[in-house]
Amino acid sequence: QFRTVLVTGGAGYIGSHCVVDLLDAGYEVVAIDNFANAVGDEEGSPALARAEQITGKTITFYKADLLDKPQINDIFDKHSIDCVIHFAALKAVGESMQQPLLYYQNNLLGMLNLLEIMRSHNCYQIVFSSSCTVYGEPEQLPITETHATGNITNVYGRTKYFIEEMLKDLSAADDKWNIISLRYFNPVGAHPSGLIGEDPTKEFTNLMPFMAQVALGKKPVLTIFGNDYNTPDGTGIRDYIHVMDLASGHVAALNLLSTNHVGLKVYNLGTGRGVSVKELVDVFERVTETKVPTKYVARRLGDITAMWADATLAKTELGWSTTRSIEEMCTDFWRWQTMNPDGYPKKN
Ligand code: GDU
């Protein structure tokens, strides 16, 4: 059984929610973050401080960058790390098209450094944050893990794909590695306490946080990208998954890695249900009792029509499935937003 888990990108949206679940499951957490897209500094992260508040446990935290190999090496020297969950990455699709080298350096080199340091410390267990974006435009729905990957239209997505290829080569070359790659569908929602949630420091473009800003009156209107898709209501379809369900998927993956040698395994983490933009807006308005003014505009470049998971494999092999509804995703996100309209407390 593992004890100590290193969480890279621990101060971020998914990382911080996963840390709560790891602490609740009894793991020791060492978290690192470079604050590329999260609030915090050398003294720590407000998200992680609140994760401690929620769980009554403590987290060891370092402000650290995976591109700084000596610094990461020191952390591995100091702690006996049993397993790594690797969230840390840049993730903005648009930015990745403008700054491909930044994305390749950060995401690919960061991963390379991490794997080398792990190997030199005899740590061969890792859970990797992948994305449904590796599938590109779906050839059939729902998407199973056997669907072809690699036909991707953006640089961010290609970094995820390249890393998965790298992990395949690594596990083929050295049997000691024990790797799970989790392909996330669309994470939304927040911890039900309202204490932690999504608060990126970069401009965000995802649907749920944007919609919440409109509902709060901070943005005038939600632009819906396209109502001429080949879907029942003409808007795009995604598989939205509650971030706490996503978090529990990581704990399930850790549990499997700690008791089995899997080599390399890949799992979809989704609900298996597709929801349109219009449906999501309707549910959000209903459960939050707010009005979200919308305006239809042209399709967003690179967006796909519809995508949802077949999550059977994760259920069979990880014993994991989602339990939270679209209503809970909206209610929990809204609780976080209304309790923290300006996100986490920021220092000036
Ligand atoms: N949408 C709008 N208006 C907005 C924002 C989004 O109509 O202001 C629509 C999109 O067109 C899409 C849906 O809402 O149909 C969801 O969009 P998101 O931006 O929230 O999510 P994506 O599915 O586009 O993004 C996901 C991941 C990214 C990346 C991307 C790959 O969140 O990290 O993997 O897929 O294309």
Side-chain angles (χ1 to χ4, degrees), residues 91-93 131-134 152-154 156-157 160 184-188 204-211 221-226 229 235-240 275-277 280 295 297 299-300 302-305 307:
K91 62 160 191 177
V93 172
S131 165
C132 64
T133 192
V134 300
I152 303 157
T153 54
N154 68 81
Y156 154 74
K160 294 290 176 191
Y184 310 157
F185 282 68
N186 286 56
V188 295
F204 51 80
T205 52
N206 292 114
L207 178 58
M208 175 86 67
F210 200 95
M211 178 159 63
V221 62
L222 171 71
T223 51
I224 297 183
F225 301 132
Y229 282 108
T235 65
I237 293 179
R238 297 289 183 275
D239 186 339
Y240 297 96
V275 171
S276 77
V277 175
L280 190 67
K295 181 174 84 186
V297 298
R299 294 180 182 192
R300 183 170 65 178
D303 268 0
I304 55 162
T305 302
M307 175 97 113

Side-chain angles (χ1 to χ4, degrees), residues 46-114:
L48 291 175
R50 289 185 177 180
E52 291 182 327
Q53 186 188 336
I54 290 168
T55 58
K57 310 229 166 117
T58 53
I59 299 160
T60 305
F61 176 78
Y62 299 95
K63 177 174 190 280
D65 194 314
L66 291 169
L67 298 183
D68 184 346
K69 240 179 139 177
Q71 190 190 17
I72 305 300
N73 202 69
D74 283 350
I75 294 168
F76 273 83
D77 285 346
K78 229 179 261 158
H79 300 274
S80 168
I81 310 276
D82 296 307
C83 182
V84 176
I85 305 184
H86 179 40
F87 293 106
L90 299 175
K91 62 160 191 177
V93 172
E95 184 184 61
S96 77
M97 302 301 280
Q98 282 145 14
Q99 301 191 66
L101 293 183
L102 176 72
Y103 272 68
Y104 288 129
Q105 180 175 63
N106 188 83
N107 293 4
L108 294 186
L109 195 52
M111 182 59 161
L112 268 177
N113 288 345
L114 179 61

Side-chain angles (χ1 to χ4, degrees), residues 113-125:
N113 288 345
L114 179 61
L115 292 169
E116 283 176 353
I117 294 166
M118 286 175 67
R119 187 178 54 187
S120 70
H121 288 80
N122 232 2
C123 174
Y124 291 96
Q125 332 274 343

Side-chain angles (χ1 to χ4, degrees), residues 21-42:
D21 254 18
L22 290 170
L23 293 171
D24 280 342
Y27 289 100
E28 291 282 328
V29 173
V30 178
I32 63 172
D33 207 290
N34 68 353
F35 297 114
N37 193 24
V39 182
D41 57 26
E42 275 77 9

